[in-house]
Amino acid sequence: ACLDGVVETAEIPVTDLPDDAVVLDVREPGEWALGHALNAVHIPLGEVIARLAELPVTDGPLPVICRSGARSARVVAYLLANGIDAVNVDGGTLAWAAAGKPMAGGDGDPTVI
């Protein structure tokens, strides 16, 4: 399986997500350590396919987040192609931090996330 297909994916602005939203964070461990959404579940991009059973269950589409939205868009396309309802978080963790949403880990400096 490959995550390289270019497919249009649905996006959701961070302002449409509650502060305590459960999101799938697909960034690398070093990025995750710098700060992440409070209820984020961390599965790095390269591990998503092998760890599908660990995806969090949400009431609606699963919001997927990375730093800026590019990697998460690839994951959303893969999930949608495999029958898993998902949506890309527009602007990623940078937008989450810029919107003043609560974060765990790191020093809270949105410029390094």
Side-chain angles (χ1 to χ4, degrees):
C2 179
L3 295 175
D4 288 330
V6 177
V7 177
E8 281 296 312
T9 58
E11 292 196 326
I12 187 169
V14 294
T15 51
D16 285 3
L17 291 167
D19 288 354
D20 63 351
V22 173
V23 299
L24 172 63
D25 191 321
V26 298
R27 295 175 302 151
E28 294 303 308
E31 295 172 291
W32 166 265
L34 293 173
H36 49 85
L38 290 179
N39 289 326
V41 173
H42 184 225
I43 304 178
L45 174 70
E47 300 176 19
V48 169
I49 294 170
R51 297 174 62 186
L52 287 179
E54 298 175 43
L55 294 180
V57 176
T58 55
D59 288 337
L62 172 62
V64 183
I65 197 168
C66 64
R67 183 174 187 270
S68 64
R71 286 173 286 177
S72 51
R74 291 168 55 197
V75 172
V76 168
Y78 174 81
L79 295 176
L80 291 172
N82 285 275
I84 299 168
D85 196 10
V87 63
N88 192 28
V89 178
D90 188 29
T93 308
L94 292 174
W96 185 276
K101 298 240 178 225
M103 298 185 71
D107 60 10
D109 180 354
T111 62
V112 298
I113 292 167

